[in-house]
Amino acid sequence: MDKSIYEQTKAAISELCETAKLKEGNIVVVGCSTSEVVGSTIGTNSNYDVAGKIFEALYDFTKSKGLFLAVQCCEHLNRAIITERKAVPFTECVNVVPQPKAGGSLATQAYKAFENPIALEEIKADAGLDIGLTMIGMHLKKVAVPIRLKNNTIGKALVVGARTRPKFIGGVRAVYDDNLL
């Protein structure tokens, strides 16, 4: 029997956070096409109920680990970010409220569920989960490192992970901290 959408999402976010060695206070960005999850082409069949199950798994897990969840909107909102104000207390917000067909179902679920939601033009997250090939790279810190997940599908959608690491600077004499890799 196939795992439920909730279980698949929880397995993927758990694997990402473990592999990326995330710590309390880190930010995880997630992009999601519920159209892809249900087997349709991205942007053609947004599913609010599926988004609810995915959001619940993501939020339950990240909250339990002391991580901040940031959800990427779809292209109709220029891939804006929805997160909680406490994740980015000093940033400049934008004024938009996502809807299933303008922002996406997952971002809509996030905006309704977060304690104090905020919309941003961009964020620099420590790791990310891309559900349905939604292109989250613009919201990751430099330098992004791809993670090949074992839990690489949610429904019918492909799932890709990424973590970040600090840039290497210096030359041949530079010494690097292996704990930051």
Side-chain angles (χ1 to χ4, degrees):
M1 185 169 141
D2 289 347
K3 290 184 191 176
S4 72
I5 297 295
Y6 181 95
E7 291 169 326
Q8 290 173 337
T9 304
K10 186 173 179 187
I13 190 70
S14 175
E15 182 181 353
L16 170 74
C17 293
E18 182 179 324
T19 303
K21 299 178 182 158
L22 296 181
K23 297 177 178 83
E24 188 173 330
N26 284 159
I27 298 172
V28 179
V29 65
V30 176
C32 176
S33 168
T34 57
S35 298
E36 291 280 335
V37 172
V38 299
S40 300
T41 302
I42 192 168
T44 63
N45 193 14
S46 188
N47 189 306
Y48 192 69
D49 294 331
V50 166
K53 292 173 185 159
I54 292 169
F55 179 80
E56 184 181 0
L58 293 169
Y59 200 45
D60 287 352
F61 185 84
T62 55
K63 276 183 79 170
S64 76
K65 300 295 181 186
L67 303 169
F68 291 109
L69 177 61
V71 177
Q72 177 181 273
C73 294
C74 71
E75 64 181 295
H76 297 97
L77 295 186
N78 297 325
R79 303 203 193 301
I81 292 291
I82 305 301
T83 192
E84 295 188 269
R85 186 172 298 276
K86 64 186 172 184
V88 287
F90 305 109
T91 195
E92 184 178 345
C93 70
V94 294
N95 187 359
V96 69
V97 177
Q99 303 299 308
K101 297 286 185 182
S105 291
L106 188 64
T108 303
Q109 288 279 9
Y111 196 89
K112 288 183 178 180
F114 285 152
E115 292 174 26
N116 190 1
I118 185 172
L120 311 170
E121 282 190 285
E122 62 184 2
I123 199 165
K124 296 298 178 195
D126 301 286
L129 200 61
D130 190 321
I131 304 166
L133 305 176
T134 60
M135 308 299 278
I136 61 166
M138 67 190 283
H139 294 300
L140 293 170
K141 290 178 180 174
K142 297 176 184 175
V143 170
V145 178
I147 296 176
R148 188 178 296 267
L149 300 170
K150 292 176 187 149
N151 296 290
N152 63 0
T153 58
I154 296 175
K156 305 269 188 222
L158 292 175
V159 179
V160 178
R163 66 176 180 85
T164 61
R165 65 161 177 77
K167 294 179 186 180
F168 293 139
I169 62 168
V172 294
R173 292 184 239 171
V175 176
Y176 302 108
D177 183 344
D178 289 340
N179 293 318
L180 297 177
L181 300 178

